[in-house]
């Protein structure tokens, strides 16, 4: 945990320094977009290096899946809040299911872009979760991004009648599995997105 935190902190410090130079020297929007892309891809590379440094699959806190929708780029994630009861014990979400989730969306600088809860963890007495079709991918015209469709199928909700709060993952989704090359609302093109996702329920559709 400490090693991964240190590696990420070092990268973020380098990132802010590089962004400061970029904003000062590169006024051209296209140049800035190219630099932003390189920063996001370098962040993904840093996750890959941290994954290798911990010894690969099953050797540390950083985990990896190879998406079915694009096998050329990995999705990395960590399990969050297990010591606070965020361990799903229900059945994994399926592609045909509807997922009920709390989520927070951030870019690689840590800027929050979207969220349906405000604290470190959801406040179930105040916050309201959202529902998404697991297979309702954005590329089809509506619904969630490819990366969400992939990671939700690795998550478990709480089983009815237990104290489980459902799986809580911090997920790093590359731009090619998120919103792609173009800007989307407040999200810049080529953005690797960091999501905090807490799966609190699954509706099994016929």
């Amino acid at each position: 945990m400490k090693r991964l935190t240190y590696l990420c902190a070092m990268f973020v410090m380098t990132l802010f320094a590089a962004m400061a130079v970029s904003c000062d020297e590169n006024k051209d929007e296209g140049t800035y977009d190219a630099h932003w892309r390189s920063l996001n891809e370098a962040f993904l590379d840093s996750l890959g290096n941290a994954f290798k440094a911990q010894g690969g699959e099953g050797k540390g806190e950083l985990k990896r899946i190879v998406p079915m929708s694009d096998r050329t780029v990995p999705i990395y994630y960590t399990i969050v809040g297990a010591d606070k009861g965020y361990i799903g014990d229900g059945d994994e979400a399926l592609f045909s299911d509807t997922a009920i989730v709390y989520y927070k969306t951030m870019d690689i600088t840590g800027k929050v872009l979207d969220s349906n809860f405000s604290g470190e963890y959801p406040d179930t007495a105040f916050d309201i979760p959202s529902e998404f079709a697991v297979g309702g991918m954005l590329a089809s015209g509506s619904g969630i991004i490819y990366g969400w469709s992939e990671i939700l199928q690795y998550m478990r909700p709480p089983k009815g009648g237990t104290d489980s709060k459902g799986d809580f993952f911090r997920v790093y989704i590359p731009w090619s599995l998120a919103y792609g090359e173009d800007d989307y609302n407040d999200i810049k093109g080529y953005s690797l997105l960091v999501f905090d996702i807490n799966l609190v329920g699954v509706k099994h559709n016929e």
Side-chain angles (χ1 to χ4, degrees), residues 73-203:
V73 291
I75 293 174
Y76 295 100
Y77 69 98
T78 58
I79 296 173
V80 179
D83 60 334
K84 300 181 185 300
Y86 288 93
I87 303 175
D89 54 2
D91 294 331
E92 290 179 345
L94 303 175
F95 188 80
S96 58
D97 290 339
T98 296
I100 305 170
V101 300
Y102 291 106
Y103 71 93
K104 185 178 293 182
T105 310
M106 295 162 282
D107 65 17
I108 60 173
T109 72
K111 178 183 178 182
V112 177
L113 303 170
D114 188 21
S115 179
N116 64 3
F117 70 97
S118 57
E120 184 179 2
Y121 295 97
D123 180 348
T124 57
F126 175 77
D127 299 316
I128 300 174
S130 302
E131 296 188 10
F132 298 97
V134 175
M137 295 173 287
L138 186 74
S140 65
S142 63
I144 61 176
I145 58 177
Y146 284 114
W148 264 54
S149 183
E150 297 278 359
I151 197 66
L152 284 172
Q153 294 177 77
Y154 284 80
M155 300 183 73
R156 294 177 182 272
K159 186 184 293 183
T162 73
D163 293 330
S164 168
K165 299 176 182 177
D167 281 342
F168 196 133
F169 289 0
R170 171 160 287 187
V171 188
Y172 303 89
I173 299 182
W175 61 264
S176 60
L177 295 171
Y179 292 97
E181 304 172 5
D182 299 322
D183 293 353
Y184 182 83
N185 295 331
D186 292 333
I187 300 171
K188 299 176 184 176
Y190 297 109
S191 288
L192 179 150
L193 295 176
V194 183
F195 292 96
D196 284 348
I197 305 174
N198 177 210
L199 180 64
V200 296
V202 169
K203 293 181 179 179

